[in-house]
Amino acid sequence: MMTPSQTHQPTLSELTGLTPLSATTTCRDPQAAYSELRAKWGQIAPVELEPGINAWLVLGHPEICQIVRNERLFSRNPHYWRLYAEQVVSPDSGLGPMMFPRDNAYFSDGDKHRRLREPLDDGLASLDEHKMSRMIRAACTELIATFAPRGNADLVAEYAAVVPMLAVAGMFGLSTDLGHQLRQALIALFGSGADSQAGNQNLERILTNTIQARRANPSDDLATAFLRHPNLRNDFELQQSMVLMISAGYETTTTWIAQTLRLMLTDPRFAGRLRGGRLGIDEALDEVLWRDPPMSNMPARYALADCQVAGQPVRRGDALILGFAAANADSRVHTNDPWLEVGNRAHLAWSAGPHACPAQRQGRMITRIAVDTALHRLQDVVLSVPAEDITLLPSPWTRCPASLPVRFTRTGPIPHA
C-alpha cells in the first residue's frame, strides 16, 4: 500500500476545486458522495476542510487500518501538520478545537499516548456500571415525563442531546446546569464553524473551575480520579484529558442515539419491532455503527515522510482524515447480504489500533438504555414529519439529525424508574 513517492505530481495544497469535507456529511446520500470520490481518486481522495485548507480523506477500510496501526509513519500529533506548523491555518480557524494540539491522549503517540491513555482506561474501569445504568434509566424516564403529557416532542433537542450530557456530567460530578452549558459549548466545538473557538473556551473554563473545586473538595467521580492519577502531571493535562472524555462521550453518543431512533422510526425493518417485528434495538445499534457511525470522519493523522497511500502521493506534513462511514461501506469488508453479515463486527465506528475508543461498553450502555426507554415509554410513537425532511446539524465530522419531531399517545405523569 505504501511506497516511497517516485514521480512528481501536484501536491495536496496545489489542488483546487475539491469537494468540501462537510459536503460528505451533510448531503442526503453520503455513500453516493464517497462513491464519486472513489471513482475519481481511488481509496484516498483530496478534500477541502475549509477554503484553502486541504487534506486527504481515506475511504478504504484496509487503508485506514494500516494507517492507524503505523505510528512510525502517521502521527496523531498536529505539530507535524505542515499547514499548522507554517501557520497557513488561521489561529482563529473553526478547525482549531478539533485539529490543533492538546495535551491529551488523542493528540499523542507512543509512550506519551500510553501515559495519557491510562487515566482514561482506569477511570472507565472504576465506574460502577450498575449504578450508572440505574442513573441513566432514571434520567431518561424523568426527561420523557417532561414532554409525555404533550403528545409530541423533539427527540433530539429534548432527549438524545440531553441524555449523554446528563450521563457524562454525572460521571464527572457536574451539575445539570453545567451539563447544559457543556452541551452548548460542544455543539459549537464540533460544528467547526465561526463559534467553534468560543465554544472551546467555554468548555475549558467550566473544566478548569471543576478541577479547582475537586482539589478543594474531592468526590467519588471521574474528575477526582483524574486529579489523583499520577500520569497526569499538571492541570493542563488534567483539563485536556477531561476535554477528550467529555467531548468524545457527548457528541458520539448523542449522534448514536439520534440515528438509532431515526432508523427505528423510519426503516420498516426496524419500525416493525414496535409491533413485534424480528429486528430490535441491538440490530439497530449495530446497523447505525455500520451505516452512520457516530464519527463519520475522524481527524487526523499526519504523514511523517513522503509516501504513497493507495496510489496517491502523500507528502510529509499532509493531514489524513479517516473516513469511517466510507470505509464501513467498503465492499472488501461489508456486503448488503444480511446472511453474510451475521456477526460481522469489522466496522470502524470505534476506530482501530492504539487509539481505538476506550468507552465502547459505556457508550453502548447509554445509547441502548436511551433508545429502549423512549420506545417503551412513548406509546404509538411516529415521526410527525416525512423522513426525507429530517435535516442534519452542520459538521464535517458527524451526521447528527438536527431534530426528530414525533407524536405519540399522551400520557400522564410517568413514575420514576
Side-chain angles (χ1 to χ4, degrees):
M1 183 191 78
M2 304 166 193
T3 60
S5 182
Q6 299 288 332
T7 60
H8 175 73
Q9 293 178 266
T11 65
L12 181 62
S13 297
E14 291 170 344
L15 297 172
T16 59
L18 301 178
T19 300
L21 181 63
S22 58
T24 69
T25 54
T26 56
C27 64
R28 180 66 61 184
D29 186 355
Q31 292 304 333
Y34 297 136
S35 294
E36 289 180 10
L37 288 171
R38 277 196 185 92
K40 184 174 182 179
W41 301 100
Q43 296 294 351
I44 174 173
V47 293
E48 183 183 75
L49 300 183
E50 63 181 23
I53 306 298
N54 298 340
W56 295 105
L57 177 62
V58 188
L59 305 164
H61 189 285
E63 287 74 19
I64 287 181
C65 288
Q66 292 184 51
I67 287 169
V68 299
R69 291 173 177 142
N70 189 348
E71 290 184 313
R72 293 186 177 184
L73 187 54
F74 299 102
S75 173
R76 210 48 190 269
N77 188 340
H79 286 106
Y80 293 110
W81 185 18
R82 185 177 55 258
L83 299 185
Y84 173 80
E86 296 176 356
Q87 299 183 331
V88 177
V89 184
S90 168
D92 299 324
S93 169
L95 299 170
M98 290 292 288
M99 295 188 68
F100 288 0
R102 296 178 187 268
D103 267 346
N104 62 32
Y106 187 94
F107 294 99
S108 305
D109 301 307
D111 289 342
K112 183 176 181 180
H113 169 255
R114 286 185 284 275
R115 175 174 67 82
L116 294 175
R117 168 75 179 238
E118 187 175 318
L120 310 185
D121 293 334
D122 291 348
L124 289 167
S126 72
L127 291 174
D128 183 336
E129 293 191 358
H130 293 291
K131 178 180 178 182
M132 183 177 169
S133 174
R134 292 192 299 271
M135 181 271 289
I136 295 166
R137 194 170 297 278
C140 291
T141 303
E142 290 171 7
L143 282 173
I144 291 171
T146 65
F147 53 75
R150 294 203 315 258
N152 63 81
D154 177 355
L155 289 184
V156 174
E158 296 181 86
Y159 192 69
V162 184
V163 173
M165 175 270 295
L166 293 176
V168 172
M171 290 162 60
F172 281 90
L174 302 176
S175 68
T176 300
D177 179 62
L178 284 177
H180 284 290
Q181 293 182 45
L182 284 177
R183 178 189 166 212
Q184 294 304 316
L186 291 167
I187 289 172
L189 189 156
F190 276 89
S192 291
D195 59 349
S196 183
Q197 295 276 7
N200 180 61
Q201 291 168 6
N202 287 337
L203 173 63
E204 292 182 345
R205 174 186 54 80
I206 293 169
L207 298 183
T208 296
N209 292 340
T210 300
I211 292 168
Q212 294 171 351
R214 289 301 176 276
R215 181 169 282 121
N217 295 290
S219 184
D220 182 20
D221 56 37
L222 282 183
T224 302
F226 279 16
L227 188 62
R228 291 172 173 169
H229 203 287
N231 284 18
L232 299 175
R233 296 174 177 172
N234 54 58
D235 281 6
F236 190 61
E237 287 187 352
L238 175 59
Q239 179 207 67
Q240 291 305 313
S241 294
M242 292 172 68
V243 167
L244 172 57
M245 182 76 82
I246 290 174
S247 59
Y250 169 77
E251 179 69 15
T252 57
T253 310
T254 294
T255 302
W256 197 7
I257 293 171
Q259 285 286 17
T260 305
L261 286 170
R262 178 199 61 78
L263 182 65
M264 297 201 74
L265 292 171
T266 60
D267 190 314
R269 296 173 301 153
F270 296 97
R273 180 264 182 191
L274 305 179
R275 296 179 294 277
R278 68 180 185 87
L279 293 179
I281 293 174
D282 287 306
E283 290 84 0
L285 292 171
D286 289 335
E287 178 86 357
V288 170
L289 292 179
W290 276 106
R291 302 300 183 187
D292 275 305
M295 291 292 292
S296 297
N297 301 312
M298 175 73 79
R301 295 297 195 278
Y302 306 97
L304 299 179
D306 292 357
C307 61
Q308 286 195 354
V309 179
Q312 292 292 353
V314 174
R315 309 294 184 185
R316 179 180 179 182
D318 283 356
L320 297 97
I321 307 300
L322 309 180
F324 292 157
N328 282 353
D330 192 326
S331 60
R332 291 172 288 181
V333 295
H334 191 59
T335 74
N336 290 318
D337 186 334
W339 294 106
L340 294 178
E341 291 306 314
V342 173
N344 188 348
R345 295 294 183 270
H347 62 72
L348 289 172
W350 307 117
S351 190
H355 285 272
C357 174
Q360 298 176 34
R361 283 173 52 84
Q362 292 81 8
R364 191 177 188 96
M365 177 195 299
I366 296 169
T367 304
R368 196 188 192 290
I369 290 172
V371 173
D372 178 66
T373 304
L375 297 180
H376 176 71
R377 295 287 186 178
L378 300 176
Q379 300 177 21
D380 306 314
V381 59
V382 294
L383 277 179
S384 55
V385 300
E388 57 270 21
D389 288 350
I390 297 173
T391 59
L392 301 168
L393 292 171
S395 171
W397 318 115
T398 63
R399 281 176 51 82
C400 186
S403 66
L404 283 175
V406 296
R407 63 178 183 272
F408 43 84
T409 301
R410 296 178 182 180
T411 60
I414 300 174
H416 292 181

